[in-house]
C-alpha cells in the first residue's frame, strides 16, 4: 500500500538536447550515415514501451506517447500529432528540433522534400513496421536518397546509462478473470490462420500475446505486459520467446506442454527455420526486421492483420462483468476524491500534485489496485488546455478559485482497466465555461445514446459527439474514443471513434471511451470521459440488427458547470438518470460524508 505508482520528477531536460544531438551526429558520421530516424517505439511497435526504449525522449526531451524525429547533419525535425502540439513546444529545444505535424505532413513527405540527393539515412529495422518503412523508402527514393538498415541502434551507442531491458515476472491470468482458456484461444486462432493458408503466424504485439496465453506482466509502466514474441503454429502449439528471468514454475504449469519457451535470442533463428512455410505476419504492427528475416531464407509471407486483436477487443461476458465490477470500485474511489476535492480546493492549499496523489491514495485504499492505467493528467487552469499534460515538480500549478480543474485518470485492477475524466469548477464558472462544458456534455450524451446498425465504424459516429461544438464553430483535436483492454492496455485497437478513417466496425463486447472535449489555449480545458460497451440493441420493428452503448463508468458530472437552458429535455433526462444510477450504485461503497456529498452532486436538474 506504500508503493507510489506515479512519479512527478522532471523526466526531460531540454538543456541536454544539444550535447545529445551532437553525440548522435558524431556516431552517424562514424557509420557513414547522413541522417537517422528516431521513432518513439520499441521492438513490439506498441504505445507502451519500457524505459530502455525511450530513445526519442532521451534525444529530444519530448515525452509524449507518439512521435518521430528525423536527424540530418544540418537540421533536425520532430513530428507530433495534435495532442502534443503545445507539449512539444514546452519540452524540447525548438531551435534544434523543429516541430512538425505528424498527421498533416509526416516524416515521409518531409524526407521527400528535404533529404539531400545521395544521402544515406539510417533506421533501426526493429523500431519501424514493415508498412511504415516501405513508405519512407519510397519517399527517400523520390528525393534521390537511400534508407539504410542499421545492425545496431546508434543512439544505444551514445546513451550513457541507458536502462536495462525489463524482466518482471510473468503471471497467469486465471480462467475466472479471462473467461476462456488459453488452449481454447490458441486452437481458435490457429484454425483461422490455417484457413488463410498459413502454417504459422508471428505475433509481436504484447497485448495480443498476453491475451492469447492468458498471462500478464509488469515490463512497461502502468500496463501489465510481459514483453515477448510468439509464433503460433497451425496445430495450435506456440513457441514463446521470453526472458528466462520472467518465467516461474507457476507460469510453466499454466502454459503447459503445447507452449514451448525459448530465450529471446532464439527468435531470429526460429524465423529462419520457417523458410519452407507460409508465414502470416502483420505489416502494420510487425517490425520490418521480422519481415527481412523471413524474406531472406525464402519464407512465403502472408500479409495478415494480427489475428488476436479483434477477438481480444470483443470481450466475453466474464471480462465485461469484470470491467463493470472494476468500474464500481473505481467510481467509489473517484467519488471519495471528488468529495474531498470539493471541500479542500476552495481553501487554496491544493496543487496539481497533491490532488493527483490524493486520488491515487483513494484508489489504493480499495486494496485491489495493481497500478494506475497511465500517469494521471492532473491539470489546473491553463494546463487543462493541454490534452496530454503530465504534471512535474517544475510545472506544478496551484488549484485556484474560479478556475477549472481537470483530472483524467484510471486504474489497473485484475478484473478490469478504467479510464475516466472529470472536469470541475472551483468557485464560480464564467458563462463561457458553462457554455463550453454543456456543449461537451451534449456531445457526450449524443454518443452515449446512439443506436446504429451493425457494421458501423467509429468514424461514422464521431460527429455525434462534435456537433454541439461545431454548431458554435468549435472543435477538439483528438479522437472521441479509443478501445480499452480488460486488465491490459488502456488504449487498444482495432476500434476507435475519431475523424480518422478506419475500416473496423464496432462490435458487441468492445469497450471504448466517450471523451469529447474543448480546449482554450492558455486558459482552460474541458473533457468528460466515460467508458462504454458496445452491445446489441432491441428496437421494436427494426429491420436491421442494431447496436448501442452501455455506460460502465460511474462518477458525478459537475452540475455547477452545466447550463440547463442549452439542453433538451431528453438530454436532461439522460443526465438525471445517469446520476441516479451513480448515486444508487456507489452509495453503499462510500463513507457517510461522501454519501451526503453524492446526494447533492447527483441531484436532479
Amino acid at each position: 500500500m506504500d508503493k507510489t505508482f506515479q512519479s512527478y520528477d522532471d523526466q526531460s531536460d531540454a538543456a541536454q538536447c544539444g550535447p545529445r544531438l551532437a553525440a548522435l551526429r558524431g556516431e552517424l558520421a562514424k557509420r557513414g550515415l547522413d541522417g537517422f530516424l528516431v521513432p518513439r517505439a520499441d521492438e513490439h511497435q506498441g504505445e507502451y514501451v519500457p524505459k530502455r526504449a525511450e530513445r526519442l525522449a532521451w534525444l529530444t526531451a519530448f515525452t509524449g506517447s507518439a512521435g518521430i524525429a528525423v536527424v540530418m547533419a544540418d537540421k533536425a525535425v520532430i513530428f507530433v500529432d495534435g495532442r502534443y502540439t503545445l507539449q512539444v513546444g514546452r519540452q524540447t529545444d525548438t531551435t534544434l528540433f523543429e516541430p512538425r505535424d505528424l498527421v498533416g505532413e509526416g516524416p515521409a513527405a518531409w524526407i521527400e522534400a528535404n533529404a539531400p540527393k545521395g544521402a544515406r539515412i539510417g533506421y533501426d529495422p526493429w523500431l519501424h513496421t514493415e508498412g511504415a518503412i516501405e513508405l519512407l523508402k519510397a519517399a527517400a527514393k523520390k528525393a534521390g536518397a537511400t534508407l539504410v538498415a542499421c545492425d545496431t541502434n546508434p543512439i544505444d551507442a551514445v546513451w550513457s546509462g541507458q536502462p536495462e531491458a525489463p524482466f518482471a515476472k510473468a503471471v497467469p491470468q486465471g480462467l475466472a478473470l479471462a473467461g476462456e482458456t488459453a488452449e481454447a484461444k490458441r486452437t481458435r486462432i490457429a484454425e483461422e490462420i490455417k484457413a488463410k493458408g498459413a502454417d504459422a503466424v508471428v505475433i509481436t504485439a504484447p497485448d495480443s500475446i498476453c491475451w492469447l496465453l492468458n498471462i500478464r506482466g509488469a515490463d512497461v509502466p502502468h500496463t501489465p505486459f510481459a514483453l515477448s514474441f510468439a509464433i503460433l503454429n497451425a496445430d495450435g502449439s506456440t513457441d514463446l520467446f521470453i526472458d528466462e528471468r520472467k518465467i516461474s514454475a507457476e507460469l510453466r504449469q499454466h502454459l503447459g506442454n503445447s507452449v514451448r519457451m525459448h530465450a529471446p535470442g532464439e527468435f531470429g533463428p526460429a524465423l529462419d527455420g520457417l523458410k519452407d512455410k507460409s508465414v502470416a505476419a502483420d505489416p502494420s504492427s510487425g517490425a520490418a526486421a521480422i519481415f527481412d528475416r523471413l524474406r531472406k531464407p525464402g519464407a512465403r509471407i502472408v500479409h495478415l492483420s494480427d489475428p488476436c486483436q479483434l477477438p481480444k477487443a470483443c470481450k466475453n461476458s466474464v471480462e465485461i462483468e469484470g470491467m463493470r465490477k472494476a468500474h464500481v470500485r473505481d467510481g467509489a474511489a473517484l467519488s471519495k476524491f471528488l468529495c474531498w476535492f470539493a471541500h479542500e480546493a476552495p481553501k487554496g492549499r491544493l496543487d496539481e500534485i497533491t490532488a493527483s496523489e490524493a486520488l491515487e491514495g483513494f484508489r489504493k485504499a480499495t486494496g485491489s489496485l495493481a497500478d494506475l492505467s497511465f500517469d494521471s493528467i492532473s491539470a489546473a487552469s491553463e494546463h487543462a488546455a493541454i490534452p496530454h499534460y503530465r504534471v512535474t515538480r517544475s510545472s506544478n500549478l496551484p488549484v485556484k478559485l474560479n478556475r477549472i480543474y481537470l483530472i483524467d485518470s484510471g486504474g489497473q485492477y485484475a478484473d478490469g482497466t478504467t479510464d475516466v475524466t472529470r472536469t470541475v469548477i472551483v468557485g464560480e464558472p464564467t458563462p463561457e465555461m458553462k457554455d463550453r462544458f454543456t456543449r461537451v456534455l451534449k456531445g457526450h450524451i449524443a454518443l452515449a445514446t446512439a443506436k446504429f446498425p451493425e457494421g458501423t465504424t467509429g468514424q461514422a459516429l464521431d460527429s455525434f459527439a462534435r456537433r454541439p461544438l461545431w454548431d458554435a464553430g468549435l472543435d477538439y483535436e483528438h479522437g472521441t474514443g479509443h478501445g480499452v483492454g480488460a486488465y491490459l492496455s488502456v488504449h487498444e485497437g482495432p476500434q476507435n471513434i475519431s475523424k480518422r478513417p478506419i475500416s473496423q466496425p464496432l462490435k458487441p463486447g468492445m469497450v471504448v471511451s466517450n471523451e469529447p472535449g474543448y480546449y482554450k489555449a492558455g486558459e482552460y480545458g474541458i473533457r468528460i470521459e466515460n467508458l462504454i460497451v458496445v452491445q446489441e440493441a432491441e428496437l421494436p420493428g427494426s429491420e436491421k440488427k442494431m447496436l448501442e452503448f452501455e455506460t460502465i463508468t460511474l462518477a458525478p458530472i459537475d452540475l455547477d458547470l452545466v447550463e440547463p437552458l442549452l439542453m433538451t429535455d431528453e438530454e436532461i433526462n439522460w443526465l438525471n438518470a445517469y446520476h441516479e444510477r451513480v448515486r444508487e450504485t456507489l452509495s453503499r461503497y462510500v463513507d457517510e460524508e461522501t454519501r451526503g456529498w453524492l446526494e447533492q452532486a447527483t441531484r436532479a436538474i
Side-chain angles (χ1 to χ4, degrees):
M1 294 294 291
D2 294 332
K3 179 180 179 182
T4 298
F5 293 115
Q6 180 169 347
S7 168
Y8 303 97
D9 295 334
D10 291 278
Q11 297 179 356
S12 64
D13 181 3
Q16 297 296 320
C17 292
R20 291 176 178 177
L21 181 59
L24 175 59
R25 283 175 168 154
E27 181 66 21
L28 296 180
K30 289 180 186 177
R31 300 187 183 204
L33 296 172
D34 302 295
F36 189 66
L37 306 177
V38 187
R40 200 271 180 177
D42 69 355
E43 296 85 348
H44 305 278
Q45 303 302 317
E47 179 181 350
Y48 308 99
V49 304
K51 292 180 181 179
R52 176 179 178 80
E54 292 282 11
R55 297 177 180 89
L56 182 64
W58 177 84
L59 179 66
T60 68
F62 168 67
T63 61
S65 64
I68 182 172
V70 183
V71 175
M72 303 299 292
D74 60 345
K75 65 179 70 174
V77 292
I78 180 169
F79 292 87
V80 300
D81 61 39
R83 297 172 297 170
Y84 296 117
T85 303
L86 296 176
Q87 181 176 331
V88 72
R90 295 165 68 101
Q91 287 189 319
T92 195
D93 184 340
T94 56
T95 65
L96 297 174
F97 293 96
E98 179 189 358
R100 310 286 293 198
D101 183 357
L102 180 62
V103 178
E105 179 184 21
W110 189 91
I111 287 172
E112 182 179 341
N114 292 277
K117 190 172 183 179
R120 301 177 74 250
I121 303 172
Y123 71 95
D124 184 335
W126 283 102
L127 304 185
H128 301 264
T129 66
E130 169 84 346
I133 280 299
E134 289 305 312
L135 291 174
L136 291 165
K137 283 181 176 179
K141 185 177 181 179
K142 289 180 180 177
T146 306
L147 285 195
V148 180
C150 297
D151 293 334
T152 60
N153 195 302
I155 286 184
D156 296 352
V158 297
W159 184 350
S160 176
Q162 184 180 23
E164 293 186 10
F167 52 88
K169 289 291 185 186
V171 298
Q173 178 80 336
L175 182 61
L177 296 171
E180 183 181 9
T181 67
E183 181 181 10
K185 291 178 180 179
R186 288 189 286 105
T187 301
R188 176 156 59 103
I189 302 302
E191 288 296 326
E192 291 181 15
I193 64 167
K194 190 189 302 182
K196 299 287 187 180
D199 300 304
V201 59
V202 180
I203 303 175
T204 63
D207 55 342
S208 289
I209 296 171
C210 288
W211 173 85
L212 178 69
L213 301 179
N214 284 348
I215 62 175
R216 299 295 188 268
D219 284 338
V220 300
H222 306 316
T223 307
F225 285 168
L227 296 180
S228 59
F229 291 101
I231 299 174
L232 174 65
N233 303 292
D235 64 0
S237 68
T238 303
D239 292 283
L240 179 65
F241 302 87
I242 187 169
D243 192 316
E244 175 73 25
R245 293 172 293 181
K246 301 178 185 180
I247 302 170
S248 65
E250 180 189 23
L251 185 71
R252 289 185 187 277
Q253 182 179 5
H254 165 74
L255 293 175
N257 295 330
S258 294
V259 178
R260 299 174 289 270
M261 284 181 274
H262 313 271
E266 297 179 38
F267 182 48
L271 295 174
D272 296 338
L274 297 171
K275 61 182 179 180
D276 297 323
K277 300 191 175 189
S278 294
V279 184
D282 189 341
S284 69
S285 63
I290 293 171
F291 288 83
D292 293 342
R293 193 80 184 234
L294 289 169
R295 201 176 286 118
K296 191 172 182 180
R300 299 183 297 277
I301 299 176
V302 179
H303 285 179
L304 182 70
S305 295
D306 182 332
C308 296
Q309 287 290 302
L310 183 56
K312 172 180 58 64
C314 298
K315 293 159 185 62
N316 59 49
S317 59
V318 172
E319 291 173 310
I320 292 173
E321 185 57 27
M323 292 287 278
R324 291 190 186 110
K325 290 178 179 177
H327 278 81
V328 170
R329 188 184 311 118
D330 197 70
L334 180 56
S335 294
K336 291 176 184 177
F337 164 78
L338 291 172
C339 171
W340 170 86
F341 185 89
H343 290 123
E344 295 299 320
K347 299 176 184 177
R349 295 196 292 264
L350 298 186
D351 56 36
E352 292 170 336
I353 290 178
T354 56
S356 180
E357 288 176 330
L359 178 52
E360 182 175 326
F362 284 114
R363 283 195 167 106
K364 286 195 291 189
T366 65
S368 302
L369 186 70
D371 200 340
L372 302 180
S373 54
F374 55 97
D375 282 334
S376 297
I377 300 171
S378 177
S381 304
E382 64 265 27
H383 284 170
I386 305 173
H388 277 228
Y389 170 72
R390 178 187 172 276
V391 58
T392 65
R393 301 199 185 281
S394 63
S395 71
N396 188 26
L397 282 182
V399 175
K400 294 182 179 180
L401 197 63
N402 302 327
R403 303 298 294 272
I404 273 177
Y405 171 75
L406 181 152
I407 180 71
D408 183 349
S409 65
Q412 291 282 13
Y413 305 92
D415 51 358
T417 300
T418 71
D419 182 4
V420 51
T421 307
R422 287 297 182 264
T423 304
V424 298
I425 184 67
V426 181
E428 294 295 326
T430 65
E432 180 188 272
M433 289 176 180
K434 294 183 71 170
D435 175 273
R436 303 304 191 255
F437 184 91
T438 306
R439 291 182 184 278
V440 171
L441 176 59
K442 286 165 69 70
H444 180 97
I445 295 171
L447 184 58
T449 57
K451 289 180 172 57
F452 48 96
E454 183 181 38
T456 301
T457 67
Q459 184 188 19
L461 298 180
D462 181 71
S463 60
F464 284 44
R466 295 181 190 269
R467 180 173 176 177
L469 289 162
W470 287 352
D471 285 344
L474 309 169
D475 202 1
Y476 50 95
E477 296 303 319
H478 58 73
T480 300
H482 56 81
V484 179
Y487 190 40
L488 276 172
S489 305
V490 75
H491 292 163
E492 77 166 12
Q495 75 277 21
N496 71 28
I497 301 173
S498 70
K499 296 178 182 179
R500 181 163 56 91
I502 184 170
S503 59
Q504 177 58 57
L506 295 172
K507 291 180 172 291
M510 287 181 170
V511 177
V512 292
S513 65
N514 174 4
E515 51 178 311
Y518 170 77
Y519 309 93
K520 188 171 185 178
E523 295 194 31
Y524 63 89
I526 294 163
R527 189 161 60 253
I528 303 171
E529 178 184 19
N530 287 341
L531 298 192
I532 51 182
V533 183
V534 183
Q535 61 183 14
E536 293 187 16
E538 294 185 7
L539 291 178
S542 175
E543 298 180 356
K544 292 181 177 290
K545 184 176 180 180
M546 300 293 288
L547 303 177
E548 62 183 1
F549 296 114
E550 172 197 356
T551 296
I552 58 174
T553 300
L554 297 169
I557 294 168
D558 191 355
L559 294 175
D560 290 339
L561 280 164
V562 175
E563 176 48 76
L565 294 177
L566 288 175
M567 300 178 71
T568 66
D569 289 344
E570 291 79 7
E571 291 166 341
I572 291 174
N573 290 339
W574 181 93
L575 181 60
N576 287 340
Y578 174 72
H579 272 157
E580 182 179 8
R581 181 173 157 231
V582 168
R583 182 173 62 252
E584 291 183 351
T585 304
L586 299 184
S587 288
R588 73 191 75 173
Y589 300 107
V590 299
D591 57 275
E592 185 175 349
E593 182 181 18
T594 304
R595 198 174 301 118
W597 174 84
L598 265 178
E599 288 286 339
Q600 175 65 14
T602 61
R603 66 191 182 275
I605 62 170

